[in-house]
Amino acid sequence: MSRTITARAGRRAAAGGANRWVVLVVLCVSLLLVALDATILHVAVPSLTGSLNPGSTELLWIVDAYPLVCASLLILFGTLGDRIGRRRVLLIGYGLFGAASALAALATEPWVLIAARALLGVGGAMIMPATLSLIRTVFPDRRERATAIGIWTAVAAIGAAAGPVLGGFLVEHYWWGSVFLINIPLMALILPLARRLLPESRGVAEGPWDVLGALTAAAGVLGCVLGVKRAGAGEPLLSVLTAGPLLAGALLLVLFVRRQRRRPHPLIDMRLFSRAAFTTSVGCIVLAMLALVGLELIAVQYLQLVLGLSPLETGLRLLPLTFAAMAAGATGSYTLRRIGPRRMVGWGFVLTAAAVLLLTFMGQHDRPLLLTAGFVLLGFGLQTTLFSAYESMLSEAPPRSAGGAAAIGETSYQLGAGMGIALLGSVMNAAYGPGLDGVPGVPAAASEAAANSLGEAYQVADRLGGAAGEALHAAARHAFVDGLHLTLFVSAGLLLAGAVMALRLPRVMECPVDVEAAVEEAAAEAEAAKAARGARAVQEAKDVRAAGAGPGRVPGQPADSPDVRGPLPDAGPAGTMSGAATTGGH
């Protein structure tokens, strides 16, 4: 028993020692790569469309394959990391991510790029929960963990917002495939560093890993996100291609929950969802991402296609959002201690909603000051919300379930992102398409083709030429801006709903004693004290021998007296004394 406790305490000490901040740096670089890949493709979509000529459905799959696959596999790989080691799963994810990046960069057909994006999703599903669960175990103290999560969320924001900037630079100077190619040297650098520096970390390994349950969860999430994506692409909600995946996914998730409740050693402890703070935090993450990702994709199209900015200029316009998010992450730990999770999440949602409503004043002409102010408020508000929601969610989960809790959080993140693209895309299409009906001089077939997207409308207008082309071009711009305004109002409503939801979070940031950590540390200290006593006994015996009046005698002992000491006891393992010395010491 003592050996088991000592081993566990040793693992904790190795994970939470002086090098824990170095571990955080490695984990943040890992997250940076995954976050970059989620947004770096957005500014490359026009260039990619001209090179590969994907259809509208293929283009949606190119954009959505990564978050779709990643979201569906997070629970599988998060719980697998709890069993076989989070570091091991992370290293495998690095290798797969690099190989998939090479395949995506060299793709010459849309289906190849879709497959590569799906493989990137598999790699991302291995990396993302491992980084967050390792933070949970490396930083057992909640105050330090809050600081670490603040840095982690700030890096995620940097990656997401820097993606368009870096992507714009690469597309302008090279070709669209370079946005994937840059992952390879970065992975080649981080893989050996992670193997050398990251500690291995596992959760409870009791009972067999529930393979069937993990696959059920993956299929359920995949079905739900796929159904939402179909709806976002314009498919009728009650059609087989939309309602079928939605219903199948929901049914599989219900079966997964029931299975986990019955099993003695479940993949995910469903009792976590009985805690209001955990469930509310997950819901806030979904709402925040639902509003952010859909808006970001639409904003990139607005900057490029309505305002006529280049990809690099588009990325630079988004930099204020990055800096604001960095500031929110850097100050998040202090703010959380001062005002508590409830007010931090709630006011973060309110601030973000105010930023979204401010952006409704955007029109067909450039207003840089308005955009900058809106993006600063948007970045600070959303990052404040995400930081506090993640911190509250992880603090509610015990260390042994860190992988499963991190997987739930990341699934919520990716599910919210996929739903945001689908939901806000549907709202955008519902407002944009009717605005192109009945344009003077434009045939019905041309109007129908132009209704697919603003970029396609410009292509149709260029082919028509003359007065009809100019009329279609102007109508498409006007319809897109109207659709953008409606989308912003819907997003503001969702964000205000998140502010109401945050009322269920705790008022203050509680820092209870980690009982498990305290027991393990006390056991480790007891073992260390025992070893020290044994070492002292050995040294004292040697001192007595060295100070003797002669061989085999103690000071003051007559020369003809028998040797009362006998041989020195042998030193046992770990510096303890064996035999009579051990018995006497206890």
Side-chain angles (χ1 to χ4, degrees), residues 450-497:
N452 291 328
S453 67
L454 183 58
E456 192 166 347
Y458 286 172
Q459 295 177 1
V460 173
D462 291 339
R463 288 197 298 267
L464 288 175
E470 292 180 1
L472 180 59
H473 192 282
R477 281 169 56 91
H478 184 75
F480 185 89
V481 172
D482 288 345
L484 176 61
H485 291 165
L486 178 60
T487 303
L488 291 172
F489 281 118
V490 172
S491 297
L494 293 172
L495 292 166
L496 292 176

Side-chain angles (χ1 to χ4, degrees), residues 344-356:
M344 189 168 180
V345 174
W347 284 111
F349 271 124
V350 171
L351 181 61
T352 309
V356 168

Side-chain angles (χ1 to χ4, degrees), residues 333-424:
S333 178
Y334 173 80
T335 307
L336 184 62
R337 291 195 299 268
R338 295 282 294 178
I339 68 175
R342 180 185 299 179
R343 283 187 288 180
M344 189 168 180
V345 174
W347 284 111
F349 271 124
V350 171
L351 181 61
T352 309
V356 168
L357 292 175
L358 179 64
L359 292 175
T360 58
F361 291 98
M362 295 187 304
Q364 298 188 34
H365 301 287
D366 192 5
R367 303 181 68 180
L369 291 179
L370 173 66
L371 286 175
T372 300
F375 286 156
V376 167
L377 294 176
L378 183 67
F380 193 90
L382 270 175
Q383 192 64 22
T384 297
T385 299
L386 287 172
F387 161 77
S388 186
Y390 267 113
E391 199 283 332
S392 298
M393 181 200 70
L394 278 183
S395 296
E396 288 293 316
R400 64 179 179 273
S401 303
I408 292 172
E410 294 298 338
T411 301
S412 305
Y413 185 100
Q414 294 293 336
L415 187 62
M419 291 173 61
I421 293 174
L423 177 61
L424 297 185

Side-chain angles (χ1 to χ4, degrees), residues 17 40 79 84 120 127 154 164 180 230 244 265-266 283 317 404 418 443 469 475 488 539 568:
I40 197 171
T79 56
I84 71 171
L120 282 169
I127 294 172
F180 298 109
R230 292 279 188 182
H265 305 291
R317 284 294 185 92
L488 291 172
Q539 187 61 42
L568 285 174

Side-chain angles (χ1 to χ4, degrees), residues 127-166:
I127 294 172
M128 294 180 72
T131 61
L132 197 55
S133 58
L134 281 170
I135 289 176
R136 176 65 179 91
T137 55
V138 168
F139 293 92
D141 180 76
R142 184 171 184 179
R143 295 177 182 86
E144 283 193 343
R145 185 168 65 247
T147 302
I149 293 176
I151 297 171
W152 184 85
T153 53
V155 169
I158 292 170
V165 179
L166 182 59

Side-chain angles (χ1 to χ4, degrees), residues 64-387:
D64 292 345
Y66 176 81
L68 178 65
V69 174
C70 188
S72 63
L73 297 178
L74 284 167
I75 292 176
L76 189 153
F77 288 121
T79 56
L80 181 63
D82 284 343
R83 294 303 181 97
I84 71 171
R86 294 150 188 160
R87 172 179 172 271
R88 180 180 300 178
V89 172
L90 184 64
L91 294 178
I92 296 173
Y94 286 159
L96 184 59
F97 203 85
S101 298
L103 179 62
L106 302 176
T108 57
E109 297 290 339
W111 68 268
V112 177
L113 183 55
I114 293 171
R117 290 278 290 170
L119 288 176
L120 282 169
V122 177
M126 291 181 168
I127 294 172
M128 294 180 72
T131 61
L132 197 55
S133 58
L134 281 170
I135 289 176
R136 176 65 179 91
T137 55
V138 168
F139 293 92
D141 180 76
R142 184 171 184 179
R143 295 177 182 86
E144 283 193 343
R145 185 168 65 247
T147 302
I149 293 176
I151 297 171
W152 184 85
T153 53
V155 169
I158 292 170
V165 179
L166 182 59
F169 174 81
L170 292 172
V171 169
E172 282 196 3
H173 291 82
Y174 301 100
W175 92 110
W176 64 265
S178 60
V179 302
F180 298 109
L181 205 60
I182 61 166
N183 291 337
I184 298 175
L186 293 175
M187 280 297 173
L189 174 65
I190 195 65
L191 184 58
L193 286 177
R195 185 173 182 179
R196 179 179 179 85
L197 298 176
L198 293 184
E200 185 56 278
S201 170
R202 293 183 178 88
V204 177
E206 298 175 354
W209 184 57
D210 186 9
V211 180
L212 180 59
L215 294 176
T216 302
V221 174
L222 179 64
C224 289
V225 178
L226 182 60
V228 172
K229 192 182 76 65
R230 292 279 188 182
E235 295 282 347
L237 185 60
L238 299 180
S239 69
V240 176
L241 294 177
T242 303
L246 276 173
L247 293 176
L251 177 61
L252 288 172
L253 289 178
V254 170
L255 293 176
F256 171 75
V257 172
R258 295 185 61 182
R259 178 180 177 86
Q260 298 309 300
R261 286 179 173 174
R262 292 197 306 264
R263 290 182 64 83
H265 305 291
L267 286 175
I268 295 175
D269 188 356
M270 290 299 162
R271 291 175 296 182
L272 288 174
F273 289 96
S274 65
R275 304 180 182 183
F278 185 88
T279 306
T280 303
S281 298
V282 170
C284 289
I285 292 171
V286 172
L287 280 177
M289 290 309 301
L290 194 151
L292 173 64
V293 175
L295 281 179
E296 184 176 349
L297 187 59
I298 295 171
V300 168
Q301 294 177 355
Y302 170 79
L303 294 173
Q304 289 192 33
L305 299 178
V306 176
L307 300 185
L309 302 180
S310 68
L312 180 58
E313 290 172 334
T314 298
L316 292 174
R317 284 294 185 92
L318 294 173
L319 276 181
L321 188 149
T322 307
F323 294 137
M326 291 171 59
T331 60
S333 178
Y334 173 80
T335 307
L336 184 62
R337 291 195 299 268
R338 295 282 294 178
I339 68 175
R342 180 185 299 179
R343 283 187 288 180
M344 189 168 180
V345 174
W347 284 111
F349 271 124
V350 171
L351 181 61
T352 309
V356 168
L357 292 175
L358 179 64
L359 292 175
T360 58
F361 291 98
M362 295 187 304
Q364 298 188 34
H365 301 287
D366 192 5
R367 303 181 68 180
L369 291 179
L370 173 66
L371 286 175
T372 300
F375 286 156
V376 167
L377 294 176
L378 183 67
F380 193 90
L382 270 175
Q383 192 64 22
T384 297
T385 299
L386 287 172
F387 161 77

